[in-house]
Amino acid sequence: MTKKRKRRRPEQIVKLLQEGQAMLAAGKSEAEVFQRLEITESTWQRWNKQFGGMKSDEAKRLRELEIENQRLKEMLAEAELDKRILKTALEGNY
């Protein structure tokens, strides 16, 4: 039986990383920490790489910026497509 995948927000991840670091500093083994946080070692490493040293509000802002950046990229792609369509129509090659 497989576990259901949990989606966590960046601020939750930062909190779990801080919690895990505190447990490790208290002398618990990595296996105990991963089991307590209900994550795998690869998840821990990925989170540390992406969110290590961040505060909750910084992680939340990062996520907001990533969403805004994606939206702007989509808008640019649409504008470029419109521009290409108009250029083709002006040349009469349709």
Side-chain angles (χ1 to χ4, degrees):
M1 182 188 312
T2 60
K3 287 187 175 182
K4 184 177 179 186
R5 187 172 184 193
K6 292 182 182 179
R7 295 277 182 180
R8 295 185 173 97
R9 294 187 310 273
E11 52 273 15
Q12 291 173 320
I13 293 172
V14 170
K15 185 177 177 184
L16 288 173
L17 283 173
Q18 291 170 348
E19 210 176 291
Q21 292 293 349
M23 285 190 272
L24 288 171
K28 294 204 176 201
S29 71
E30 285 187 346
E32 290 173 323
V33 171
F34 301 153
Q35 185 176 9
R36 171 83 168 97
L37 299 178
E38 298 177 357
I39 59 171
T40 63
E41 183 178 359
S42 61
T43 300
W44 174 262
Q45 291 172 351
R46 183 171 27 88
W47 285 357
N48 256 332
K49 184 178 177 184
Q50 189 173 3
F51 298 103
M54 276 191 190
K55 295 179 181 170
S56 277
D57 56 338
E58 292 171 339
K60 185 176 182 178
R61 179 70 179 143
L62 174 66
R63 181 67 186 140
E64 290 170 357
L65 289 172
E66 287 173 346
I67 291 170
E68 182 180 2
N69 191 32
Q70 182 62 36
R71 186 181 55 81
L72 291 172
K73 283 181 180 181
E74 289 171 2
M75 287 173 55
L76 178 63
E78 288 175 11
E80 289 295 322
L81 182 60
D82 290 344
K83 196 164 75 173
R84 183 172 289 167
I85 290 170
L86 290 173
K87 185 177 178 181
T88 304
L90 283 174
E91 291 173 354
N93 297 334
Y94 50 90

